[in-house]
Amino acid sequence: MSGAIRYCDRCQLIKPDRCHHCSVCDKCILKMDHHCPWVNNCVGFSNYKFFLLFLAYSLLYCLFIAATDLQYFIRFWTNGLPDTQAKFHIMFLFFAAAMFSVSLSSLFGYHCWLVSKNKSTLEAFRNPVFRHGTDKNGFSLGFSKNMRQVFGDEKKYWLLPVFSSQGDGCSFPTCLVNQDPEQPSTPAGLNSTAKNPENHQFPAKPLRESQSHLLLDSQTWTESSTNPGKGKAGMSNPALTMENET
């Protein structure tokens, strides 16, 4: 993200973007979210969708138990149940289901918000660092694309415990709202290539100063116009070189 190579001293491996070392599992986890003691494992890129489905299924199950046990819970307080030990089991079951429903609903809602923002729990507390600085929404691509990052393109697999997340866990697309302040604006002469549909389309990303100094040198353009062969060999911009060859 910041352009620097991140290295893990414990694993002695290069850490990709959004990868963190878990002290409990003692290994690096791709797109690590947190270490969950309930599942006794780390939640990251490979199982984040399964963790969300686990929360959703557990919440629905607790709500179902609380709803079906409510009538017997009311009868317990109105002395409508027989005086046996089973009535205490009914009371405990309702309280347990109700409390788990409240805790799971808050946890599931929080992770749904993280998915909509394309964040992890670690990134929510510590903003990721990019070349232009910290950006809390650097990985956000919009609500629809953020959902597809976790659940995949085919909606028929969203509610099934099947791995369908996008990417490889090592590289992630970022939004193009904030650009590197070190990069100058694109020369005006390059805009004509984007208007011509016959030419190759290249990303509208500003060139760095080291790559665009030849484009801004009027003497270089004069020499290139008089000697086309020399101009192709001297260009440092591969996009213009490919365009001239075609």
Side-chain angles (χ1 to χ4, degrees):
M1 292 177 290
S2 60
I5 297 177
R6 302 166 62 242
Y7 185 78
C8 180
D9 297 331
R10 299 290 299 275
C11 299
Q12 296 184 356
L13 295 172
I14 295 177
K15 293 194 297 184
D17 293 340
R18 311 181 79 176
C19 177
H20 298 277
H21 185 88
C22 178
S23 58
V24 180
C25 298
D26 196 19
K27 63 180 179 180
C28 290
I29 307 298
L30 296 177
K31 194 186 175 183
M32 180 178 175
D33 189 89
H34 69 285
H35 183 87
C36 182
W38 295 97
V39 298
N40 193 25
N41 197 2
C42 271
V43 178
F45 171 77
S46 59
N47 59 351
Y48 189 62
K49 175 189 174 182
F50 301 104
F51 177 74
L52 290 176
L53 294 180
F54 167 72
L55 294 180
Y57 297 158
S58 301
L59 177 59
L60 292 177
Y61 183 62
C62 290
L63 291 176
F64 174 78
I65 292 177
T68 54
D69 193 42
L70 179 61
Q71 56 177 335
Y72 301 101
F73 181 76
I74 296 175
R75 291 174 59 184
F76 169 80
W77 290 104
T78 57
N79 296 324
L81 293 178
D83 191 9
T84 59
Q85 294 181 355
K87 63 180 182 179
F88 296 101
H89 297 166
I90 294 176
M91 182 181 64
F92 174 78
L93 181 63
F94 178 80
F95 273 116
M99 289 187 296
F100 272 103
S101 298
V102 174
S103 60
L104 286 174
S105 60
S106 60
L107 183 60
F108 180 67
Y110 174 70
H111 279 278
C112 288
W113 177 80
L114 290 178
V115 172
S116 65
K117 299 295 183 180
N118 203 348
K119 293 182 181 181
S120 64
T121 302
L122 295 178
E123 294 169 353
F125 289 95
R126 184 176 58 188
N127 297 331
V129 181
F130 297 88
R131 294 187 180 218
H132 58 269
T134 58
D135 191 348
K136 62 180 181 179
N137 295 321
F139 292 105
S140 181
L141 306 175
F143 179 79
S144 178
K145 292 184 179 180
N146 292 342
M147 293 289 292
R148 296 177 186 274
Q149 284 283 313
V150 178
F151 294 98
D153 291 328
E154 300 186 17
K155 295 183 179 181
K156 61 182 180 180
Y157 296 125
W158 283 17
L159 300 179
L160 298 179
V162 178
F163 182 81
S164 58
S165 300
Q166 294 181 348
D168 56 358
C170 296
S171 59
F172 300 91
T174 58
C175 62
L176 300 178
V177 176
N178 295 323
Q179 296 179 348
D180 194 338
E182 297 179 357
Q183 297 177 348
S185 59
T186 306
L190 295 180
N191 294 333
S192 59
T193 59
K195 297 179 180 179
N196 191 356
E198 297 179 357
N199 296 332
H200 293 281
Q201 299 294 329
F202 299 97
K205 184 178 181 180
L207 299 175
R208 293 186 178 274
E209 184 179 357
S210 60
Q211 295 176 333
S212 61
H213 71 280
L214 291 178
L215 301 179
L216 301 178
D217 192 354
S218 58
Q219 184 179 359
T220 305
W221 281 106
T222 306
E223 293 177 359
S224 300
S225 60
T226 57
N227 192 350
K230 183 179 178 181
K232 291 182 180 179
M235 286 185 179
S236 62
N237 187 4
L240 292 179
T241 304
M242 294 177 60
E243 180 183 356
N244 291 333
E245 290 177 355
T246 56

